[in-house]
Amino acid sequence: YDVPPEESGSARGGATPLTEESVDAQQSEIEVELEEDLTADTDIETLVTQEAPTIDLLNKEFKAISDEGARGGVAIAVAILKVLIPVTVRTLKRRVNKTEHGLYPTVIEELLRELCLADLGEWVWGGMKDAAQAMWQPNTGPLTEDSHVGTYFLQQLAALKQKRPDLAMDVVGHSAGSIAICRMLAAAARRHAGFKVRNIVLLAPGCTMELFHDEIATKAERYQNFRMFTMLDDYEAKDVLVPGIYPRSLLYFVSGALEGETVKPLAGLERWMRGGVPDEDGKLAVVQEFLGGPGRLVLSRSSVEAPQGAQCLAASHGDFDTDPATLRSLQDMIAN
């Protein structure tokens, strides 16, 4: 089933083009072929009955099936089919609708989604997202160690800005820090009329395109200048998160496996800044137009002729806060 959509149809002798509907129609055929392959694989039984029960993050349903298989109460193929059928179907559909991240990474993402996404997503990513939002919740009563530090910081910053109207405020966020910035801007708009920062700078942002659209791209009144530094997709796709297991970057992994039940476009992934990707509500088109504005997007690695303040040579997700070219660009922006 590893057939790119553009190679289906007439390119394959007049066969029916691969669509989401045709994938659904072929599900029974997929199930039969998978069962035949599983039955012939002698390593599957060991994987399900001995390895699976030791993995704490596996979802309870599959763990129960593997336990039953270990006791001989259910065919091993049945346990695996319950996982592989939805994984195969979703992988094929993502290939059709152009939301895949390459065949192998997409399979890994969908396996994780099927086997342990609820716990894994909450453990790895959900906690950071929750913290980035909770820190701006209102404080009630006297300040204590349990008060929301972001709200206190915002109150003091707004008060200082009132005393010093000429005060320049710049905010810089890397990865999940972009989520905190989006939530801060929303909180400031609700509680501090006229609050405005000078520069918003995002480094390989991990916020969703939807959040970026809602809080930055369509809210020009909240800031004076915006600039994003992130990698060209060629570098993003080669930024291996886990050698031998997941060959794409952290942002790819978050987009494909940790943002809920379906793949979510992230603001820092260059592949979502181009045309030809799904855009059901039109928000991607708005973001794409916004990022096309003068000086708003710096893609690494930048040209040697790039102007000051728009240079970046980061080649991995963790490079942006140590790359000398990026740091010089930040210094140039803050100094001007």
Side-chain angles (χ1 to χ4, degrees):
Y1 298 97
D2 183 17
V3 180
E6 63 271 20
E7 293 182 13
S8 60
S10 59
R12 300 174 63 219
T16 303
L18 191 62
T19 63
E20 291 197 31
E21 292 73 18
S22 67
V23 171
D24 288 331
Q26 295 177 53
Q27 185 163 328
S28 59
E29 179 185 344
I30 293 171
E31 183 174 348
V32 170
E33 292 192 18
L34 286 174
E35 187 170 6
E36 291 175 352
D37 291 340
L38 289 172
T39 303
D41 193 330
T42 57
D43 294 329
I44 290 294
E45 183 172 355
T46 300
L47 178 66
V48 175
T49 61
Q50 297 182 27
E51 299 295 333
T54 68
I55 303 174
D56 293 335
L57 284 173
L58 285 179
N59 69 35
K60 295 178 181 178
E61 180 181 353
F62 182 74
K63 206 161 188 179
I65 293 172
S66 67
D67 289 342
E68 191 175 351
R71 296 192 300 269
V74 66
I76 298 302
V78 173
I80 297 296
L81 280 172
K82 284 182 175 288
V83 173
L84 290 189
I85 291 172
V87 166
T88 302
V89 169
R90 288 199 299 264
T91 298
L92 287 170
K93 287 184 176 180
R94 284 180 59 181
R95 194 165 181 80
V96 170
N97 63 31
K98 299 182 180 180
T99 61
E100 68 161 350
H101 292 159
L103 180 63
Y104 176 72
T106 302
V107 170
I108 295 298
E109 292 163 6
E110 294 303 331
L111 276 171
L112 289 172
R113 177 172 283 109
E114 187 66 23
L115 288 173
C116 52
L117 178 62
D119 291 334
L120 182 67
E122 181 60 29
W123 177 53
V124 174
W125 189 243
M128 286 191 285
K129 289 175 61 179
D130 291 344
Q133 182 166 2
M135 63 191 294
W136 311 107
Q137 294 299 313
N139 288 321
T140 57
L143 289 173
T144 69
E145 61 182 15
D146 296 323
S147 297
H148 299 293
V149 65
T151 295
Y152 175 76
F153 166 76
L154 198 55
Q155 289 173 336
Q156 300 304 309
L157 189 59
L160 180 61
K161 181 67 173 175
Q162 275 193 327
K163 293 180 180 178
R164 295 178 51 189
D166 60 340
L167 179 69
M169 298 183 294
D170 300 324
V171 291
V172 181
H174 177 221
S175 196
S178 62
I179 303 173
I181 287 176
C182 287
R183 299 302 184 189
M184 182 199 78
L185 294 172
R190 289 192 300 269
R191 301 178 197 141
H192 305 286
F195 184 91
K196 186 173 183 177
V197 300
R198 181 179 63 163
N199 291 313
I200 296 177
V201 184
L202 301 186
L203 309 174
C207 61
T208 63
M209 280 287 195
E210 180 177 17
L211 183 61
F212 180 76
H213 169 278
D214 293 349
E215 306 300 347
I216 294 180
T218 59
K219 301 294 189 299
E221 69 277 6
R222 296 177 176 178
Y223 54 91
Q224 183 176 336
N225 305 304
F226 172 86
R227 186 162 297 165
M228 178 194 298
F229 295 80
T230 198
M231 287 188 287
L232 285 161
D233 192 56
D234 284 347
Y235 290 102
E236 198 80 53
K238 295 173 184 175
D239 183 20
V240 178
L241 181 62
V242 184
I245 297 177
Y246 190 76
R248 297 285 187 268
S249 70
L250 174 62
L251 291 189
Y252 262 109
F253 186 65
V254 171
S255 172
L258 301 186
E259 273 289 349
E261 296 182 358
T262 59
V263 62
K264 293 285 182 66
L266 295 191
L269 284 174
E270 192 245 342
R271 73 179 301 273
W272 294 103
M273 302 174 195
R274 305 188 297 257
V277 292
D279 186 16
E280 295 179 1
D281 55 12
K283 289 187 176 182
L284 279 180
V286 173
V287 171
Q288 290 163 2
E289 182 178 1
F290 172 82
L291 291 176
R296 287 178 177 164
L297 179 62
V298 177
L299 291 173
S300 184
R301 297 185 170 188
S302 60
S303 166
V304 293
E305 288 84 20
Q308 286 187 332
Q311 298 176 4
C312 179
L313 297 179
S316 73
H317 187 74
D319 284 352
F320 285 86
D321 55 358
T322 58
D323 169 50
T326 306
L327 296 179
R328 284 196 302 271
S329 292
L330 294 177
Q331 291 169 350
D332 289 336
M333 291 184 68
I334 293 171
N336 293 323

